[in-house]
Amino acid sequence: MNRTHGHHTVHEAPGKKADGEGPGVHAAHRIEDFKKRFLACLILTVPVLVLSPQIQGFLGVRPLLGDRADLLVLFLLSSVIYFYGGSPFLKGLVHEARRLQPAMMTLIGIAISVAYVYSAAVVFGLPGMDFFWELATLIDVMLLGHWLEMRSVERAAGALEELVKLMPSLAGRVREDGSIEDVPVESLKKEDRVLVRPGEKVPIDGVVVEGRTTVDESMLTGESRPVQKDEGSQVIGGMINGESAVTIQVTRTGEDTYLSQVILMVRRAQESKSRVQALSDRAAYWLTLVSLSVGGGTLAVWLILGQDFVFALARMVTVMVITCPHALGLAVPLVVAVSATLAAGNGLLISDRAAFERGRDIDAVVFDKTGTLTQGRFAVTDVLPESGWEPDDVLHIAASLESHSEHPIARAIIDEAGRRGLKLAGPQDFRIIPGRGAQARLDGRMIRVVSPGYLEEKGYEAGRGLMDAVSAEGRTTVFVIADERVIGALQLADTVRPESGEALSSLKGMGLKVMMLTGDSLPAAKRVADELALDEYFAEVLPHEKAQKIRDIQAQGMRVAMVGDGVNDAPALAVADLGVAIGAGTDVAVESGDVVLVRSDPRDVYSILKLARASYSKMLQNLFWATGYNVIAIPLAAGVLAPLGFVLPPAAGALAMSISTVIVAINAQLLWRMKAQISP
């Protein structure tokens, strides 16, 4: 989603143009730029390490080119690393200074500048030791951390485009003479008439003026059952027409269409998300102030106390180096890298990092029903024969008839017959009964598989009690008629996923409330809610109402995660504190989600929330260490124990900084232990 991460607002500042272009402009270019700078500097760092006097001394190696020559080559290589690799941080320093908002870029810029200037001065005669290898590794680490962080952001560019792709580009407009012409959808006007053939998408919002059919609204409303459309019925662009051609009259065009309004809602929800300032930025802000104050104060105090300039400068440099944000720079990005890799390896794709981190504070998880908690497709639950008939006989007759149909209900009946090992017969004279079912001849008998409405329309009395009972249960019923006699009924329903019960139990074990939000009917929603023991559920909710329902729950003081898979869920996913998209759903739902569940397994919701809590805990631990060790290290670097004969040399400061970095890195790697808890 297109939320702006506060941390990245600072990081991306160098890439802004003078005219004030905001974050998100040329994001891909900036990410690639950080990658190129990191790789180039990493290559140059190798000879810097080889030629460094400190490294040579540690390894017991003699200068390769001679003391002076090694130092000059070090200076040239480090200059390239400083000006090329350090350029984003130096620009960031200038940007933050102009805004009077010192943060991460300020601290990094000052640290590398102090190390470079002091080391260059050593090369040209100042007594002391250089910090070239520390400079090179610092810049490498910073570039790597920023590259990894930035790569996980700016992922929402295609969300709204995918919504538009749901619409067909052409429509069959009906001319005055009754002929059909294919025209671009954008050219349609109100009152135009459009022919929608079986299996086609409805191109635009309108009302049926000729014909009768059923449509699949699941992508737009969440309704699992085919919805009958008669003359006068409203249809929405994006619905899939069923078995019969219908003519619709255009009622809304352009930005007034239902889908356009959904797009607008998603955009507004995305833009209304507050900017979240990262913990590392806040830590960097205070560490910057401490570094500047203590570093400058150290230099001044020692000069006032009568120490020579080289000693005072060495103390200041040691303070600056020891507060270099190696560890701070890695504290969050390393956890980000590990958790993102761990998640991706287990089918959990993190799109919005800031939202994922908010997952630690979730109070309630709201699930869509169709395709999320349920299978998203019909299945036969019961075969109810009339007296004198066997269940398999009724099913065999119905499935044989439906073998010539592609209707979702027909496919469910055929699948159930196959599961029971029934061999189907071939129907003759098959035809659709528009909006009511189908009929054909089978073994010399007229067979019909029809809706309850057909029985009411034709005055059939048989099966009416059963029909009413099933309707109350939230199931779909079709009746089988042989030679004008009702011989049985089939009950169908969108069945609950086997994994849903376990998923909800795990979430309740975390102390979370579990709810359901669906566009489906109240009886259908109640059936699922009762089966899964939900804390609360909302039925017959339209897409724009779904977003408001999420806001209502949030208004109760709860932080909400929304889990969905369809276009109808997109506004709710955008409004929620954490949007979790089922990967098998539509592309817009995937793109609108902060997290995508590739396996479409609701148990993964528990996994992602568990990982969110663990990764945030690691971030806090790393930030605590990355800044906390300075409480001891900075006074020592400043020379508070100098009167007692203990002076922390710059090299020791660099070592302390390196140790803190190692500790942070090891702690982040411990997150891999979560693998067993989130693996399927």
Side-chain angles (χ1 to χ4, degrees), residues 513-517 529 533-538 553 556 558:
K513 288 185 176 293
V514 289
M515 308 177 185
M516 182 176 71
L517 190 59
L534 294 169
D535 293 314
E536 198 168 355
Y537 66 96
F538 310 92
I553 298 171
Q556 299 174 26
M558 289 188 281

Side-chain angles (χ1 to χ4, degrees), residues 469-519:
V470 171
S471 176
E473 294 176 8
R475 301 177 189 267
T476 297
T477 308
V478 294
F479 292 87
V480 185
I481 302 174
D483 290 333
E484 306 303 325
R485 179 190 172 193
V486 176
I487 64 172
L490 306 178
Q491 298 182 50
L492 302 97
D494 183 12
T495 56
V496 172
R497 292 180 181 274
E499 309 89 2
S500 295
E502 181 183 344
L504 300 190
S505 295
S506 298
L507 292 170
K508 288 183 177 181
M510 296 176 70
L512 306 178
K513 288 185 176 293
V514 289
M515 308 177 185
M516 182 176 71
L517 190 59
T518 179

Side-chain angles (χ1 to χ4, degrees), residues 7 102-104 107 277-291 323 325 327-329 331-332 619-620 622-628 630:
H7 189 52
M104 177 72 81
L107 189 54
Q277 185 180 24
L279 287 173
S280 56
D281 271 344
R282 293 199 290 269
Y285 173 80
W286 290 108
L287 190 56
T288 298
L289 296 182
V290 170
S291 178
T323 55
L328 183 59
V332 173
M619 289 181 189
L620 286 182
N622 280 356
L623 288 173
F624 175 79
W625 175 256
T627 57
N630 288 288

Side-chain angles (χ1 to χ4, degrees), residues 169-185:
S169 58
L170 296 175
R173 185 167 60 190
V174 182
R175 295 191 179 101
E176 292 186 3
D177 61 3
S179 61
I180 308 297
E181 61 175 341
D182 288 333
V183 299
V185 172

Side-chain angles (χ1 to χ4, degrees), residues 18 91-101:
K91 291 179 180 178
L93 186 157
V94 174
H95 178 81
E96 291 174 357
R98 287 175 176 174
R99 297 178 60 189
L100 300 179
Q101 294 181 352

